[in-house]
């Protein structure tokens, strides 16, 4: 009788032990900041598997620059962050399970200055000016390339 009770207990506890090996019951908070340690809103956080480089999930940072990732199973993941007007982050490898609960990622600003703005306008083919109708021959498509 004791052996059957032990067998039943082992039968019911065996699936729980395999579940504990594959499930990662943790959340990793990823905080995206600029070089002044200000949060970057709407940054794209891409989580990939390091085994086959497939995308696991893509997250968007909130107003405080944070995104949360809850891995479904243990393993190695690669985290990469992109944001508009900022350089891409280096790929960071995270091994689950680990003691890492927070990832602080700094992105540098890459805003380029514009040296010149050139505005080009063309006249319309037909214009109405002070009750007159003007036809601009230069705007006609048949005059393209002629001099």
């Amino acid at each position: 009788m004791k052996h059957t009770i032990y067998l039943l207990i082992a039968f019911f506890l065996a699936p729980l032990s395999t579940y504990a090996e594959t499930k990662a019951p943790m959340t990793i908070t990823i905080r995206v900041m600029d070089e002044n340690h200000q949060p970057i809103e709407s940054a794209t956080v891409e989580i990939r598997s390091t085994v086959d480089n497939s995308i696991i999930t893509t997250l968007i940072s909130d107003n405080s620059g944070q995104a949360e990732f809850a891995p479904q199973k243990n393993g190695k993941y690669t985290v990469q962050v992109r944001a508009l007007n900022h350089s891409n982050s280096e790929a960071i490898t995270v091994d689950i399970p680990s003691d890492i609960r927070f990832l602080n990622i700094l992105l540098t600003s890459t805003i380029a200055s514009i040296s010149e703005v050139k505005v080009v306008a063309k006249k319309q083919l037909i214009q109405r000016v002070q009750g007159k109708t003007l036809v601009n021959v230069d705007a006609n498509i048949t005059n393209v390339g002629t001099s």
Side-chain angles (χ1 to χ4, degrees):
M1 184 69 180
K2 277 186 175 182
H3 295 294
T4 57
I5 291 175
Y6 289 132
L7 186 61
L8 286 173
I9 291 173
F11 179 74
F12 286 112
L13 291 180
L16 293 177
S17 67
T18 58
Y19 179 76
E21 290 175 15
T22 59
K23 184 73 173 165
M26 62 182 290
T27 301
I28 298 175
T29 302
I30 301 161
R31 186 176 301 137
V32 184
M33 296 176 287
D34 63 9
E35 61 268 4
N36 299 324
H37 295 283
Q38 297 298 317
I40 298 176
E41 182 180 354
S42 301
T44 304
V45 180
E46 194 173 80
I47 312 290
R48 291 179 174 265
S49 170
T50 56
V51 176
D52 57 358
N53 205 27
S54 63
I55 296 176
I56 302 299
T57 188
T58 302
L59 308 166
I60 304 294
S61 64
D62 59 10
N63 296 348
S64 61
Q66 293 186 355
E68 290 189 352
F69 170 56
Q72 297 300 312
K73 57 183 174 179
N74 296 337
K76 289 188 177 185
Y77 297 94
T78 302
V79 179
Q80 188 163 18
V81 180
R82 294 181 181 92
L84 188 64
N85 294 330
H86 291 82
S87 63
N88 294 344
S89 73
E90 296 291 323
I92 300 169
T93 302
V94 178
D95 194 6
I96 306 296
S98 69
D99 293 334
I100 296 175
R101 297 285 188 250
F102 294 96
L103 281 177
N104 291 325
I105 299 176
L106 294 175
L107 299 180
T108 55
S109 179
T110 58
I111 297 176
S113 62
I114 299 173
S115 61
E116 178 181 338
V117 176
K118 187 174 183 180
V119 179
V120 178
K122 293 184 178 182
K123 291 183 179 181
Q124 294 180 351
L125 178 62
I126 299 175
Q127 289 181 328
R128 299 194 191 276
V129 179
Q130 297 177 354
K132 299 177 186 178
T133 302
L134 299 175
V135 177
N136 295 317
V137 180
D138 292 338
N140 194 344
I141 196 165
T142 59
N143 287 336
V144 174
T146 60
S147 52

